Amino acid sequence: MAFHYLRLENHANLPGQIPFAPCKALVVVDCDVEDKWQGRVSEWLIDTGCLVMTAWGRDCCSWDDSVDLANLQRHDYREIPDASSIMTTWHEDETLAEVMWFARFAAFHPITNLENLLVLHIGSIDRSDEFTNVFSSCTQ
């Protein structure tokens, strides 16, 4: 599995498409996030091809709801086709290593094989080395 790190500061403009979609995303939240911006990030995740979203960090329990709602809105609150379904989880009582292991080895999409993991880090300090090391130390 390929590892990709992207850090966004709260209220930052969102980047364009990612070149490695479809993918899994591990959203790591290090700061408070306004609901409206969280909704935009959730829509961006869907737009960029995220099919599995795992959240960890501050108020992570709100991220699965936000992504689920964005996907429902995308499909006009009708039945979501299996190929467009997004699996979402949140992990507030686990360590970063446990969540990284889950995202890497246990999280899956029922239709599409996902070979890329995007760690979307929402915070003001670059933690790419830390996250890369944790990812590399995860073994099955």
Side-chain angles (χ1 to χ4, degrees):
M1 169 160 289
F3 176 87
H4 309 273
Y5 175 85
L6 173 64
R7 183 179 63 84
L8 295 175
E9 293 200 26
N10 192 15
H11 297 288
N13 290 329
L14 300 173
Q17 290 291 106
I18 55 175
F20 48 83
C23 69
K24 300 179 186 182
L26 170 53
V27 178
V28 177
V29 186
D30 278 344
C31 59
D32 291 329
V33 175
E34 178 187 285
D35 291 345
K36 188 174 182 178
W37 189 74
Q38 180 178 352
R40 288 198 320 266
V41 173
S42 296
E43 291 169 359
W44 175 82
L45 284 167
I46 294 167
D47 289 343
T48 60
C50 172
L51 294 176
V52 172
M53 189 285 308
T54 300
W56 183 76
R58 191 173 298 176
D59 199 24
C60 63
C61 62
S62 68
W63 282 86
D64 70 319
D65 292 335
S66 180
V67 171
D68 290 341
L69 179 60
N71 203 27
L72 282 168
Q73 290 171 340
R74 172 76 30 104
H75 295 281
D76 295 322
Y77 298 95
R78 296 191 174 118
E79 186 174 340
I80 299 171
D82 289 342
S84 298
S85 68
I86 300 173
M87 305 296 141
T88 61
T89 62
W90 54 275
H91 304 262
E92 69 180 356
D93 294 326
E94 297 174 43
T95 66
L96 176 60
E98 290 169 328
V99 175
M100 189 76 73
W101 185 93
F102 176 85
R104 185 171 184 184
F105 297 113
F108 70 96
H109 190 269
I111 303 294
T112 305
N113 186 29
L114 303 172
E115 298 294 330
N116 290 284
L117 175 64
L118 168 65
V119 173
L120 177 59
H121 175 214
I122 300 170
S124 59
I125 299 170
D126 186 309
R127 295 174 64 187
S128 58
D129 289 342
E130 174 190 359
F131 294 147
T132 301
N133 289 337
V134 173
F135 178 83
S136 297
S137 69
C138 289
T139 57
Q140 199 165 11

